[in-house]
Amino acid sequence: MRDHGWVEGKNLITDRRYAEGHDERLPALAAELIALKPDVLVGSGPQVAVALKSATATIPIVFVAVLDPVGMGLVQSLSRPGGNITGLATSAGSLVGKQVEILRELVPGASKIALLVNPGNPMHRLLLAEVPSTARNLGVALPIVEATTAEELDTAFASAAAQHADAMVVFGDSLITQEAPRVTALAANHHLPAIYLFRAFAPAGLIVYGVDYADLVRRAGDYVDKILRGTKPADLPVEQPTKFELIINMKSAKALGLTVPLVACSRRRGDRIGS
């Protein structure tokens, strides 16, 4: 926002609310913010976007990191959102398939890869629609393990281990990201190579592959600036991501006895590589 001339305490006031992984708090938090009569609301993730849209049809809303805003009913179309909401979507297409392919490059013999999902997350439900075709196309079994609370994460990992999963894809959301240290510790304890969506898992997780979330947040600032200067959300098309990250934690790979192939260091153009 500072790049656009907005300085907090000078010509900008921000109020923040955090659900801390407890999505049941979102409607009340949305109501608190709306009571402040803001000029614009900003929310990250599908549950937050849904809570804000359900709470107001008049205050402009900018969402960040929503997989399929059309499928979720947030906007009418990407080019013409309509209503009072617009923002930044995450990648359309076979995200699960890409993550499975990358994971199998590090674990070539993996034939059963568990998917850790939060069934209460509408974005996860959309991703699960890809699973049957992905399993067929890649010739892998993709059993699903679920966690809707922090405590259920232990059970989910135990279930994956009991099913003799060779690796795991961890779907990201506020709950799972809030519990990132716990999730990566569980993966290490169960000796499960895992791939994650968000950079929060990079310090101890094996692989992170997904949208460059920091870039989405920066671009959300462009939307907020335009709205504060008078543009209506309905006139701002929803944008797709342009940058992706691939981060491989070499220490975690070594602990799991994995060799990182050279191909992992020459990823698709536009990916960011880290170690």
Side-chain angles (χ1 to χ4, degrees):
M1 293 301 295
R2 185 178 291 271
D3 291 342
H4 295 288
W6 300 98
V7 180
E8 190 162 4
K10 183 178 179 181
N11 58 359
L12 179 69
I13 299 172
T14 61
D15 287 283
R16 300 172 178 85
R17 298 292 186 276
Y18 300 98
E20 297 178 337
H22 297 278
D23 292 336
E24 69 277 6
R25 300 177 185 172
L26 290 173
L29 295 176
E32 287 182 21
L33 289 174
I34 289 169
L36 299 173
K37 299 181 179 179
D39 295 301
V40 61
L41 294 159
V42 180
S44 176
Q47 296 102 314
V48 176
V50 168
L52 292 176
K53 187 176 189 295
S54 299
T56 178
T58 56
I59 299 174
I61 299 168
V62 176
F63 61 75
V64 183
V66 174
L67 176 69
D68 184 357
V70 177
M72 290 180 57
L74 292 173
V75 298
Q76 296 173 12
S77 71
L78 298 184
S79 59
R80 298 181 180 274
N84 64 317
I85 185 169
T86 186
L88 287 300
T90 53
S91 179
S94 185
L95 178 61
V96 177
K98 290 178 183 177
Q99 289 186 307
V100 169
E101 288 176 349
I102 293 169
L103 190 54
R104 291 181 80 189
E105 289 180 11
L106 266 71
V107 192
S111 60
K112 181 182 289 187
I113 299 176
L115 307 179
L116 174 61
V117 307
N118 179 353
N121 185 326
M123 191 159 65
H124 288 192
R125 293 196 295 271
L126 289 170
L127 284 169
L128 288 176
E130 301 178 15
V131 170
S133 60
T134 298
R136 288 194 303 270
N137 294 339
L138 298 180
V140 295
L142 299 174
I144 297 165
V145 295
E146 300 180 346
T148 57
T149 66
E151 292 71 25
E152 290 177 358
L153 289 168
D154 299 67
T155 304
F157 273 89
S159 175
Q163 295 178 66
H164 304 289
D166 301 303
M168 176 179 282
V169 173
V170 177
F171 288 12
D173 72 352
S174 56
L175 165 68
I176 292 172
T177 303
Q178 178 80 16
E179 297 294 328
R182 183 175 190 165
V183 171
T184 53
L186 284 165
N189 291 341
H190 288 283
H191 207 70
L192 272 173
I195 187 168
Y196 308 89
L197 273 174
F198 300 126
R199 181 178 279 270
F201 295 91
L206 176 62
I207 312 170
V208 172
Y209 179 77
V211 173
D212 185 335
Y213 183 75
D215 180 63
L216 289 186
V217 172
R218 284 191 294 270
R219 290 165 61 194
D222 298 340
Y223 279 72
V224 173
D225 172 65
K226 291 175 182 178
I227 289 171
L228 291 177
R229 297 184 190 277
T231 305
K232 296 179 180 179
D235 297 328
L236 293 171
V238 174
E239 292 186 2
Q240 302 265 19
T242 57
K243 294 182 180 180
F244 293 80
E245 298 186 295
L246 172 63
I247 302 171
I248 300 173
N249 188 314
M250 303 299 287
K251 182 177 179 181
S252 295
K254 183 177 180 180
L256 289 164
L258 300 175
T259 300
V260 179
L262 291 177
V263 68
C265 297
S266 58
R267 269 277 143 215
R268 308 167 183 83
R269 184 170 55 187
D271 290 346
R272 176 179 297 168
I273 312 299
S275 62

